[in-house]
Amino acid sequence: MYEPRTFIDRIFLVIKGLCMGAANKVPGVSGGIVAYVGGFYEEFIYSLQKVNGKAFKLFFSGRLKSFYRYINGQFLSLLIFGMLVSYFSVSKLLDYFLETKELYVWAAFFGMILGSIYYIAKDFEHWNKRTIPAGILGLIVGISISYLNPAKENDNLIFIFFCGMISVSGMTLPGLSGSFILILLGNYVLLLVDSVNALYDTFADILKGDFSFIHNKVRIATLKILAVFTLGSATGLVTLSHLLGFVLKHYKHITNAVIIGFITGSLGVVWPWKRTILQLDENGNILFDSNGKEIIVNYERYFPDFNNIETWWALFFALIGMSILLALGWYGKNGGSQKKKVK
């Protein structure tokens, strides 16, 4: 059980959920970094671990208050609420700026990653013959993932379930972007664009009293895909949290070394100066998704031109991103957001 939170702590927890939701939406950025630097990563993992057999027994026996306390319900509900609000608000705003001011958005996230590396590494005093190779391994894996080529879209429901389990890693593993993993698996547009829009349109139709969508085979198929993806994500979230809880308990320093290396390696994914590589058909024509948007498959990175004013503006936004991350880290360390367990 954790100490009670103040009203301000609850507000900040929702804000952190907003940040995690926005970060998880952007390919190359991990919501887990927000949790790690924000000082609530371990509580997040251990709370998810509580979603187990005992929790289900409490729930189905009608002991809802005990169930809520057992899973650290206030923490999870506020955080998840923030993520859900972000998914239909902040992330939509982020989509707009990615279309109109893409360089500056990437620069801000690049600064956030740099800030997180500094924040995590500055207090890590456990480099030794075990943690150094672990950090190098994390670095190599992070760099390797940055340069993988994406697969083709696949709507097989078993594969969709697998995508859900893998993509949720962005929430639990700092440095590993769930959105970028979905790009590599070929299903980013299907699962994070088409499916979300189908759900949004369905809610809008229901509010208007229009249930004609039940006869729309494409809409129903897309909603089914979203349901399976959500189930896979929930399964992966709980399963991965148990694995991470184990390694954090028994191999904490090695795990932190891997995370530092992995986040550093992931910088290549969010490098601001890059050209977008679009998906083309056999005749070289640009392909579009169901919403008329160009389908991004990867990026070609280049070194910035310091004679260009946009480069300096990008560096300015990188500093802003770094400042935001360090401020979040400061609050996580000094603002009491990471609640200590009490007997």
Side-chain angles (χ1 to χ4, degrees):
M1 179 182 271
Y2 290 84
E3 294 176 1
R5 283 181 163 79
T6 64
F7 178 74
I8 296 298
D9 281 333
R10 295 174 191 174
I11 295 296
F12 269 96
L13 194 52
V14 173
I15 292 173
K16 289 173 182 178
L18 289 170
C19 294
M20 282 189 74
N24 281 325
K25 184 75 181 291
V26 179
V29 185
S30 163
I33 289 180
V34 176
Y36 199 95
V37 178
F40 60 96
Y41 180 69
E42 288 191 22
E43 182 176 358
F44 180 54
I45 296 300
Y46 292 136
S47 297
L48 290 173
Q49 276 188 286
K50 292 295 185 179
V51 183
N52 52 29
K54 182 178 179 180
F56 285 115
K57 190 180 293 184
L58 289 170
F59 181 81
F60 288 112
S61 64
R63 299 170 60 187
L64 299 184
K65 287 186 178 180
S66 297
F67 166 79
Y68 188 76
R69 287 194 300 268
Y70 179 74
I71 65 168
N72 198 14
Q74 184 185 76
F75 169 83
L76 286 178
S77 58
L78 289 172
L79 194 66
I80 292 172
F81 173 73
M83 284 189 270
L84 289 174
V85 170
S86 171
Y87 213 74
F88 293 100
S89 57
V90 176
S91 61
K92 294 290 184 183
L93 185 64
L94 200 56
D95 287 342
Y96 169 77
F97 283 112
L98 277 171
E99 289 182 7
T100 58
K101 302 291 182 181
E102 183 179 21
L103 174 62
Y104 302 149
V105 173
W106 283 117
F109 279 113
F110 186 78
M112 290 180 71
I113 302 292
L114 280 178
S116 70
I117 293 170
Y118 167 76
Y119 183 84
I120 296 170
K122 71 181 177 64
D123 294 326
F124 188 74
E125 301 174 347
H126 304 282
W127 293 112
N128 54 47
K129 62 182 180 181
R130 297 180 68 191
T131 55
I132 291 175
I136 294 173
L137 177 63
L139 178 66
I140 293 172
V141 173
I143 294 173
S144 300
I145 288 177
S146 302
Y147 290 93
L148 289 175
N149 290 321
K152 293 183 179 180
E153 184 174 289
N154 186 342
D155 61 0
N156 179 277
L157 293 182
I158 295 176
F159 185 72
I160 295 297
F161 184 85
F162 172 76
C163 286
M165 291 190 66
I166 297 298
S167 67
V168 80
S169 58
M171 288 176 60
T172 51
L173 289 173
L176 183 59
S177 166
S179 296
F180 188 70
I181 292 297
L182 284 180
I183 285 180
L184 295 178
L185 294 173
N187 276 355
Y188 176 80
V189 173
L190 175 64
L191 296 174
L192 292 189
V193 179
D194 294 345
S195 296
V196 173
N197 287 337
L199 181 64
Y200 183 85
D201 292 341
T202 300
F203 279 140
D205 289 342
I206 291 174
L207 289 175
K208 291 185 294 186
D210 180 7
F211 294 91
S212 61
F213 67 86
I214 61 175
H215 302 296
N216 186 330
K217 292 183 179 179
V218 175
R219 175 86 67 85
I220 296 300
T222 307
L223 291 175
K224 186 186 295 184
I225 285 172
L226 181 60
V228 173
F229 175 68
T230 303
L231 181 61
S233 298
T235 303
L237 198 60
V238 174
T239 304
L240 197 56
S241 67
H242 282 80
L243 176 61
L244 286 171
F246 175 82
V247 296
L248 280 171
K249 183 177 180 180
H250 295 92
Y251 307 100
K252 185 171 183 177
H253 298 325
I254 292 177
T255 303
N256 285 332
V258 171
I259 288 173
I260 292 171
F262 199 90
I263 294 175
T264 305
S266 72
L267 280 171
V269 180
V270 290
W271 180 253
W273 296 277
K274 54 195 172 187
R275 297 180 185 88
T276 303
I277 301 175
L278 302 175
Q279 188 170 340
L280 306 176
D281 62 17
E282 296 176 353
N283 298 319
N285 299 314
I286 297 173
L287 293 177
F288 298 87
D289 62 33
S290 60
N291 299 293
K293 293 184 179 180
E294 299 168 332
I295 301 175
I296 299 172
V297 294
N298 218 320
Y299 300 94
E300 179 187 350
R301 298 161 185 83
Y302 62 90
F303 197 73
D305 177 9
F306 288 98
N307 293 318
N308 190 330
I309 188 63
E310 282 193 341
T311 299
W312 294 102
W313 274 110
L315 292 174
F316 171 73
F317 280 102
L319 288 174
I320 289 179
M322 188 182 297
S323 301
I324 291 172
L325 207 291
L326 292 176
L328 181 64
W330 179 88
Y331 179 79
K333 187 174 182 179
N334 301 294
S337 64
Q338 174 68 55
K339 294 299 172 185
K340 296 180 179 179
K341 286 185 178 181
V342 294
K343 302 294 184 183

Short mmCIF file of all heavy atoms in Angstrom, two decimals, residues 199-241:
data_model
loop_
_atom_site.label_atom_id
_atom_site.label_comp_id
_atom_site.label_asym_id
_atom_site.label_seq_id
_atom_site.Cartn_x
_atom_site.Cartn_y
_atom_site.Cartn_z
N LEU A 199 -12.89 4.15 -33.95
CA LEU A 199 -13.49 4.21 -32.61
C LEU A 199 -14.08 5.59 -32.35
O LEU A 199 -15.19 5.72 -31.82
CB LEU A 199 -12.43 3.87 -31.56
CG LEU A 199 -12.90 3.87 -30.10
CD1 LEU A 199 -13.94 2.77 -29.87
CD2 LEU A 199 -11.72 3.67 -29.15
N TYR A 200 -13.33 6.62 -32.72
CA TYR A 200 -13.79 8.00 -32.54
C TYR A 200 -15.09 8.24 -33.32
O TYR A 200 -16.05 8.81 -32.79
CB TYR A 200 -12.70 8.97 -33.00
CG TYR A 200 -13.03 10.42 -32.81
CD1 TYR A 200 -12.78 11.06 -31.60
CD2 TYR A 200 -13.59 11.17 -33.85
CE1 TYR A 200 -13.08 12.41 -31.41
CE2 TYR A 200 -13.91 12.51 -33.67
CZ TYR A 200 -13.65 13.12 -32.46
OH TYR A 200 -13.96 14.44 -32.27
N ASP A 201 -15.12 7.79 -34.57
CA ASP A 201 -16.32 7.97 -35.41
C ASP A 201 -17.50 7.19 -34.83
O ASP A 201 -18.66 7.66 -34.89
CB ASP A 201 -16.04 7.48 -36.83
CG ASP A 201 -15.05 8.38 -37.56
OD1 ASP A 201 -14.86 9.53 -37.12
OD2 ASP A 201 -14.44 7.92 -38.55
N THR A 202 -17.22 6.02 -34.26
CA THR A 202 -18.28 5.20 -33.67
C THR A 202 -18.90 5.88 -32.46
O THR A 202 -20.13 5.93 -32.31
CB THR A 202 -17.74 3.81 -33.27
OG1 THR A 202 -17.22 3.16 -34.43
CG2 THR A 202 -18.83 2.96 -32.64
N PHE A 203 -18.05 6.44 -31.60
CA PHE A 203 -18.56 7.18 -30.43
C PHE A 203 -19.38 8.38 -30.88
O PHE A 203 -20.44 8.68 -30.30
CB PHE A 203 -17.40 7.65 -29.55
CG PHE A 203 -16.86 6.58 -28.63
CD1 PHE A 203 -15.50 6.45 -28.42
CD2 PHE A 203 -17.72 5.70 -27.99
CE1 PHE A 203 -15.00 5.47 -27.58
CE2 PHE A 203 -17.23 4.71 -27.15
CZ PHE A 203 -15.88 4.59 -26.94
N ALA A 204 -18.91 9.07 -31.92
CA ALA A 204 -19.64 10.23 -32.43
C ALA A 204 -21.00 9.82 -32.97
O ALA A 204 -22.02 10.50 -32.73
CB ALA A 204 -18.81 10.92 -33.53
N ASP A 205 -21.06 8.70 -33.67
CA ASP A 205 -22.34 8.20 -34.21
C ASP A 205 -23.30 7.82 -33.09
O ASP A 205 -24.51 8.12 -33.16
CB ASP A 205 -22.09 6.99 -35.11
CG ASP A 205 -21.42 7.35 -36.42
OD1 ASP A 205 -21.45 8.55 -36.78
OD2 ASP A 205 -20.86 6.46 -37.08
N ILE A 206 -22.77 7.16 -32.05
CA ILE A 206 -23.61 6.74 -30.93
C ILE A 206 -24.21 7.95 -30.22
O ILE A 206 -25.40 7.96 -29.85
CB ILE A 206 -22.81 5.86 -29.95
CG1 ILE A 206 -22.46 4.52 -30.61
CG2 ILE A 206 -23.59 5.63 -28.65
CD1 ILE A 206 -21.55 3.64 -29.78
N LEU A 207 -23.38 8.99 -30.01
CA LEU A 207 -23.87 10.20 -29.34
C LEU A 207 -24.97 10.89 -30.15
O LEU A 207 -25.85 11.55 -29.60
CB LEU A 207 -22.70 11.17 -29.10
CG LEU A 207 -21.69 10.76 -28.03
CD1 LEU A 207 -20.52 11.74 -27.98
CD2 LEU A 207 -22.36 10.69 -26.66
N LYS A 208 -24.92 10.72 -31.47
CA LYS A 208 -25.95 11.32 -32.34
C LYS A 208 -27.15 10.39 -32.50
O LYS A 208 -28.12 10.74 -33.16
CB LYS A 208 -25.36 11.62 -33.72
CG LYS A 208 -24.33 12.75 -33.71
CD LYS A 208 -23.85 13.11 -35.12
CE LYS A 208 -23.07 11.98 -35.75
NZ LYS A 208 -22.49 12.36 -37.06
N GLY A 209 -27.07 9.18 -31.88
CA GLY A 209 -28.16 8.22 -31.99
C GLY A 209 -28.17 7.48 -33.31
O GLY A 209 -29.18 6.88 -33.68
N ASP A 210 -27.05 7.51 -34.01
CA ASP A 210 -26.94 6.85 -35.31
C ASP A 210 -26.21 5.51 -35.14
O ASP A 210 -25.02 5.48 -34.83
CB ASP A 210 -26.17 7.77 -36.27
CG ASP A 210 -26.02 7.14 -37.66
OD1 ASP A 210 -26.60 6.07 -37.90
OD2 ASP A 210 -25.30 7.74 -38.49
N PHE A 211 -26.93 4.40 -35.33
CA PHE A 211 -26.34 3.07 -35.16
C PHE A 211 -26.19 2.34 -36.49
O PHE A 211 -26.06 1.12 -36.52
CB PHE A 211 -27.20 2.24 -34.20
CG PHE A 211 -27.21 2.78 -32.79
CD1 PHE A 211 -28.18 3.70 -32.39
CD2 PHE A 211 -26.24 2.39 -31.88
CE1 PHE A 211 -28.18 4.21 -31.10
CE2 PHE A 211 -26.23 2.90 -30.59
CZ PHE A 211 -27.20 3.81 -30.19
N SER A 212 -26.19 3.12 -37.57
CA SER A 212 -26.07 2.50 -38.89
C SER A 212 -24.71 1.86 -39.11
O SER A 212 -24.54 1.04 -40.01
CB SER A 212 -26.34 3.55 -39.98
OG SER A 212 -25.39 4.60 -39.91
N PHE A 213 -23.72 2.23 -38.26
CA PHE A 213 -22.38 1.69 -38.44
C PHE A 213 -22.33 0.18 -38.24
O PHE A 213 -21.38 -0.48 -38.69
CB PHE A 213 -21.39 2.37 -37.47
CG PHE A 213 -21.64 2.06 -36.02
CD1 PHE A 213 -21.10 0.93 -35.42
CD2 PHE A 213 -22.42 2.92 -35.26
CE1 PHE A 213 -21.32 0.65 -34.08
CE2 PHE A 213 -22.66 2.65 -33.91
CZ PHE A 213 -22.11 1.51 -33.33
N ILE A 214 -23.35 -0.40 -37.57
CA ILE A 214 -23.33 -1.85 -37.34
C ILE A 214 -23.48 -2.62 -38.66
O ILE A 214 -23.19 -3.82 -38.71
CB ILE A 214 -24.44 -2.27 -36.36
CG1 ILE A 214 -25.82 -1.94 -36.91
CG2 ILE A 214 -24.23 -1.63 -34.99
CD1 ILE A 214 -26.96 -2.43 -36.04
N HIS A 215 -23.90 -1.92 -39.71
CA HIS A 215 -24.02 -2.54 -41.03
C HIS A 215 -22.80 -2.23 -41.91
O HIS A 215 -22.75 -2.68 -43.05
CB HIS A 215 -25.29 -2.06 -41.73
CG HIS A 215 -26.55 -2.34 -40.96
ND1 HIS A 215 -26.98 -3.62 -40.68
CD2 HIS A 215 -27.44 -1.49 -40.38
CE1 HIS A 215 -28.09 -3.55 -39.98
NE2 HIS A 215 -28.40 -2.28 -39.78
N ASN A 216 -21.87 -1.46 -41.34
CA ASN A 216 -20.65 -1.09 -42.08
C ASN A 216 -19.59 -2.15 -41.79
O ASN A 216 -18.96 -2.17 -40.74
CB ASN A 216 -20.17 0.30 -41.63
CG ASN A 216 -18.99 0.79 -42.45
OD1 ASN A 216 -18.18 0.02 -42.94
ND2 ASN A 216 -18.89 2.11 -42.58
N LYS A 217 -19.38 -3.06 -42.75
CA LYS A 217 -18.48 -4.18 -42.54
C LYS A 217 -17.04 -3.74 -42.29
O LYS A 217 -16.33 -4.33 -41.47
CB LYS A 217 -18.54 -5.13 -43.74
CG LYS A 217 -19.86 -5.86 -43.89
CD LYS A 217 -19.83 -6.84 -45.06
CE LYS A 217 -21.15 -7.59 -45.18
NZ LYS A 217 -21.14 -8.54 -46.33
N VAL A 218 -16.61 -2.70 -42.99
CA VAL A 218 -15.24 -2.20 -42.81
C VAL A 218 -15.06 -1.64 -41.41
O VAL A 218 -14.05 -1.91 -40.73
CB VAL A 218 -14.92 -1.12 -43.87
CG1 VAL A 218 -13.54 -0.51 -43.60
CG2 VAL A 218 -14.97 -1.71 -45.27
N ARG A 219 -16.05 -0.85 -40.94
CA ARG A 219 -15.97 -0.26 -39.59
C ARG A 219 -15.95 -1.36 -38.53
O ARG A 219 -15.14 -1.30 -37.59
CB ARG A 219 -17.17 0.66 -39.36
CG ARG A 219 -17.28 1.24 -37.94
CD ARG A 219 -16.47 2.48 -37.78
NE ARG A 219 -17.00 3.56 -38.59
CZ ARG A 219 -18.00 4.38 -38.20
NH1 ARG A 219 -18.56 4.21 -37.01
NH2 ARG A 219 -18.41 5.34 -38.99
N ILE A 220 -16.82 -2.34 -38.65
CA ILE A 220 -16.89 -3.43 -37.66
C ILE A 220 -15.60 -4.23 -37.65
O ILE A 220 -15.07 -4.58 -36.59
CB ILE A 220 -18.09 -4.36 -37.95
CG1 ILE A 220 -19.41 -3.59 -37.79
CG2 ILE A 220 -18.06 -5.57 -37.04
CD1 ILE A 220 -19.64 -3.02 -36.40
N ALA A 221 -15.04 -4.49 -38.84
CA ALA A 221 -13.78 -5.23 -38.92
C ALA A 221 -12.65 -4.45 -38.27
O ALA A 221 -11.80 -5.02 -37.55
CB ALA A 221 -13.44 -5.52 -40.38
N THR A 222 -12.65 -3.14 -38.46
CA THR A 222 -11.61 -2.29 -37.87
C THR A 222 -11.75 -2.24 -36.35
O THR A 222 -10.75 -2.28 -35.62
CB THR A 222 -11.67 -0.87 -38.45
OG1 THR A 222 -11.63 -0.93 -39.87
CG2 THR A 222 -10.51 -0.02 -37.96
N LEU A 223 -13.00 -2.17 -35.86
CA LEU A 223 -13.24 -2.17 -34.42
C LEU A 223 -12.83 -3.50 -33.79
O LEU A 223 -12.32 -3.55 -32.66
CB LEU A 223 -14.71 -1.88 -34.12
CG LEU A 223 -15.19 -0.45 -34.43
CD1 LEU A 223 -16.68 -0.33 -34.21
CD2 LEU A 223 -14.44 0.56 -33.55
N LYS A 224 -13.06 -4.59 -34.53
CA LYS A 224 -12.63 -5.91 -34.05
C LYS A 224 -11.11 -5.96 -33.93
O LYS A 224 -10.57 -6.47 -32.95
CB LYS A 224 -13.12 -7.00 -35.01
CG LYS A 224 -12.84 -8.42 -34.51
CD LYS A 224 -13.20 -9.45 -35.57
CE LYS A 224 -14.69 -9.46 -35.85
NZ LYS A 224 -15.06 -10.54 -36.81
N ILE A 225 -10.44 -5.39 -34.91
CA ILE A 225 -8.97 -5.33 -34.88
C ILE A 225 -8.50 -4.52 -33.67
O ILE A 225 -7.57 -4.92 -32.95
CB ILE A 225 -8.43 -4.70 -36.19
CG1 ILE A 225 -8.54 -5.71 -37.33
CG2 ILE A 225 -6.99 -4.23 -36.02
CD1 ILE A 225 -8.22 -5.13 -38.69
N LEU A 226 -9.18 -3.39 -33.40
CA LEU A 226 -8.81 -2.54 -32.26
C LEU A 226 -9.04 -3.29 -30.94
O LEU A 226 -8.23 -3.19 -30.01
CB LEU A 226 -9.63 -1.25 -32.28
CG LEU A 226 -9.34 -0.27 -31.14
CD1 LEU A 226 -7.88 0.17 -31.16
CD2 LEU A 226 -10.24 0.96 -31.25
N ALA A 227 -10.14 -4.06 -30.86
CA ALA A 227 -10.44 -4.83 -29.64
C ALA A 227 -9.36 -5.88 -29.38
O ALA A 227 -8.90 -6.03 -28.24
CB ALA A 227 -11.81 -5.49 -29.77
N VAL A 228 -8.95 -6.58 -30.43
CA VAL A 228 -7.90 -7.60 -30.28
C VAL A 228 -6.58 -6.95 -29.92
O VAL A 228 -5.82 -7.45 -29.07
CB VAL A 228 -7.76 -8.43 -31.58
CG1 VAL A 228 -6.57 -9.38 -31.51
CG2 VAL A 228 -9.04 -9.22 -31.84
N PHE A 229 -6.28 -5.81 -30.54
CA PHE A 229 -5.04 -5.07 -30.23
C PHE A 229 -5.04 -4.62 -28.77
O PHE A 229 -4.02 -4.73 -28.07
CB PHE A 229 -4.93 -3.86 -31.16
CG PHE A 229 -3.76 -2.97 -30.87
CD1 PHE A 229 -2.47 -3.40 -31.10
CD2 PHE A 229 -3.96 -1.69 -30.37
CE1 PHE A 229 -1.38 -2.58 -30.84
CE2 PHE A 229 -2.89 -0.86 -30.11
CZ PHE A 229 -1.60 -1.30 -30.34
N THR A 230 -6.18 -4.13 -28.29
CA THR A 230 -6.30 -3.70 -26.90
C THR A 230 -6.11 -4.87 -25.95
O THR A 230 -5.42 -4.74 -24.91
CB THR A 230 -7.67 -3.04 -26.66
OG1 THR A 230 -7.85 -1.95 -27.57
CG2 THR A 230 -7.79 -2.54 -25.23
N LEU A 231 -6.70 -6.01 -26.27
CA LEU A 231 -6.54 -7.21 -25.45
C LEU A 231 -5.08 -7.64 -25.40
O LEU A 231 -4.54 -7.98 -24.34
CB LEU A 231 -7.41 -8.34 -26.00
CG LEU A 231 -7.38 -9.67 -25.22
CD1 LEU A 231 -7.86 -9.47 -23.79
CD2 LEU A 231 -8.24 -10.72 -25.93
N GLY A 232 -4.42 -7.60 -26.56
CA GLY A 232 -3.00 -7.94 -26.61
C GLY A 232 -2.16 -6.98 -25.79
O GLY A 232 -1.22 -7.38 -25.10
N SER A 233 -2.51 -5.69 -25.86
CA SER A 233 -1.78 -4.68 -25.10
C SER A 233 -1.93 -4.90 -23.60
O SER A 233 -0.95 -4.82 -22.84
CB SER A 233 -2.29 -3.28 -25.46
OG SER A 233 -2.06 -2.99 -26.82
N ALA A 234 -3.16 -5.17 -23.16
CA ALA A 234 -3.40 -5.43 -21.73
C ALA A 234 -2.65 -6.66 -21.27
O ALA A 234 -2.04 -6.67 -20.18
CB ALA A 234 -4.90 -5.59 -21.49
N THR A 235 -2.66 -7.71 -22.09
CA THR A 235 -1.94 -8.94 -21.75
C THR A 235 -0.44 -8.68 -21.66
O THR A 235 0.23 -9.11 -20.71
CB THR A 235 -2.20 -10.03 -22.81
OG1 THR A 235 -3.60 -10.26 -22.91
CG2 THR A 235 -1.50 -11.33 -22.45
N GLY A 236 0.09 -7.95 -22.64
CA GLY A 236 1.51 -7.64 -22.64
C GLY A 236 1.91 -6.75 -21.48
O GLY A 236 2.98 -6.92 -20.88
N LEU A 237 1.03 -5.80 -21.13
CA LEU A 237 1.32 -4.87 -20.04
C LEU A 237 1.49 -5.62 -18.72
O LEU A 237 2.44 -5.40 -17.98
CB LEU A 237 0.20 -3.84 -19.94
CG LEU A 237 0.49 -2.55 -19.18
CD1 LEU A 237 1.64 -1.79 -19.83
CD2 LEU A 237 -0.75 -1.68 -19.13
N VAL A 238 0.55 -6.51 -18.43
CA VAL A 238 0.59 -7.26 -17.17
C VAL A 238 1.76 -8.26 -17.18
O VAL A 238 2.51 -8.36 -16.20
CB VAL A 238 -0.75 -7.99 -16.94
CG1 VAL A 238 -0.65 -8.88 -15.71
CG2 VAL A 238 -1.88 -6.98 -16.76
N THR A 239 1.92 -8.98 -18.30
CA THR A 239 2.99 -9.98 -18.39
C THR A 239 4.36 -9.35 -18.28
O THR A 239 5.21 -9.80 -17.51
CB THR A 239 2.90 -10.74 -19.74
OG1 THR A 239 1.61 -11.31 -19.87
CG2 THR A 239 3.94 -11.83 -19.81
N LEU A 240 4.58 -8.26 -19.04
CA LEU A 240 5.88 -7.60 -19.03
C LEU A 240 6.18 -6.96 -17.68
O LEU A 240 7.34 -6.92 -17.25
CB LEU A 240 5.91 -6.53 -20.13
CG LEU A 240 7.28 -6.01 -20.57
CD1 LEU A 240 8.18 -7.15 -21.02
CD2 LEU A 240 7.14 -4.99 -21.68
N SER A 241 5.14 -6.47 -17.01
CA SER A 241 5.36 -5.85 -15.70
C SER A 241 5.89 -6.86 -14.69
O SER A 241 6.72 -6.53 -13.84
CB SER A 241 4.06 -5.22 -15.19
OG SER A 241 3.09 -6.20 -14.89
#
